[in-house]
């Protein structure tokens, strides 16, 4: 379930509504936000299936006037390092000027009859700031079908720091709308930051 909005109180309420260790998540997010006003936020809870286990996790994205904050909380079953179940929460604070890309992929049913404003079936929000990159390599060639020389490798590097998938079927139409709204707010903030330089 995704929730978006623009106030610190609204952020806390959205975290509480998610029902996923709200006290733990809210404390971590509040510590990262500090005293800055919240411009926009998105709270997304997701359930995944891992072999015989059901795992839940929540991602909280917060936009302030100067930073993009991402918080992620996972729960873990008891294991060799811990006799009881536990949760891990991490937060990262990124200056808006470091964000190199905000990619929003939309999946639309029946594109031939698409009308402006129609809600996508699903969206994938990918945000890059240079912390993680994916490198895709393949053997290079010269184009000569008879050439058997080693031409090394060619490839591409793609920023892949955060990717969040929200679907109408799994998360509901409001979650898709909220993800679109947060993506727009983040895109506008990063554009304003780069034009101010």
């Amino acid at each position: 379930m995704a929730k978006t909005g623009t106030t610190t109180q609204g952020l806390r309420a959205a975290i509480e509504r998610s029902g996923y260790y709200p006290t733990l998540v809210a404390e971590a997010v509040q510590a990262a936000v500090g005293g800055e006003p919240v411009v926009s936020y998105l709270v997304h809870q997701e359930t995944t299936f891992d072999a015989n286990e059901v795992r839940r996790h929540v991602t909280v994205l917060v936009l302030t006037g100067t930073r993009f904050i991402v918080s992620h909380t996972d729960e873990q079953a008891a294991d060799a390092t811990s006799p009881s179940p536990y949760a891990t929460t991490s937060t990262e604070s990124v200056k808006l000027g470091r964000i190199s890309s905000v990619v929003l992929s939309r999946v639309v049913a029946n594109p031939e009859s698409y009308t402006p404003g129609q809600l996508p079936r699903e969206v994938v929000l990918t945000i890059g700031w240079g912390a993680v990159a994916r490198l895709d390599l393949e053997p290079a060639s010269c184009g000569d079908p008879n050439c058997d020389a080693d031409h090394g490798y060619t490839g591409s590097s793609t920023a892949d720091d955060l990717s969040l998938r929200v679907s109408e079927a799994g998360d509901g139409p409001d979650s898709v709308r909220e993800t679109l709204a947060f993506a727009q707010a983040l895109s506008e903030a990063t554009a304003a930051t780069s034009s101010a330089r």
Side-chain angles (χ1 to χ4, degrees), residues 106 108-120:
R106 302 167 189 243
V108 177
N110 303 314
E112 69 281 354
S113 60
Y114 177 80
T115 56
Q118 180 180 333
L119 195 63

Side-chain angles (χ1 to χ4, degrees), residues 56-127:
R56 298 177 304 155
H57 55 101
V58 67
T59 302
V60 180
L61 308 179
V62 180
L63 176 62
T64 71
T66 62
R67 299 177 297 146
F68 165 69
I69 297 163
V70 59
S71 175
H72 189 79
T73 304
D74 281 304
E75 63 183 357
Q76 306 292 328
D79 58 23
T81 63
S82 176
S84 59
Y86 60 98
T88 304
T89 300
S90 63
T91 57
E92 184 172 0
S93 176
V94 181
K95 290 182 180 180
L96 286 177
R98 283 194 49 216
I99 294 179
S100 55
S101 65
V102 178
V103 180
L104 185 68
S105 301
R106 302 167 189 243
V107 177
V108 177
N110 303 314
E112 69 281 354
S113 60
Y114 177 80
T115 56
Q118 180 180 333
L119 195 63
R121 185 171 64 192
E122 77 177 48
V123 293
V124 178
L125 175 60
T126 304
I127 304 165

Side-chain angles (χ1 to χ4, degrees), residues 42-58:
L42 180 68
V43 177
H44 183 257
Q45 183 183 339
E46 189 173 10
T47 302
T48 57
F49 300 93
D50 182 17
N52 299 348
E53 297 181 52
V54 175
R55 290 197 178 165
R56 298 177 304 155
H57 55 101
V58 67

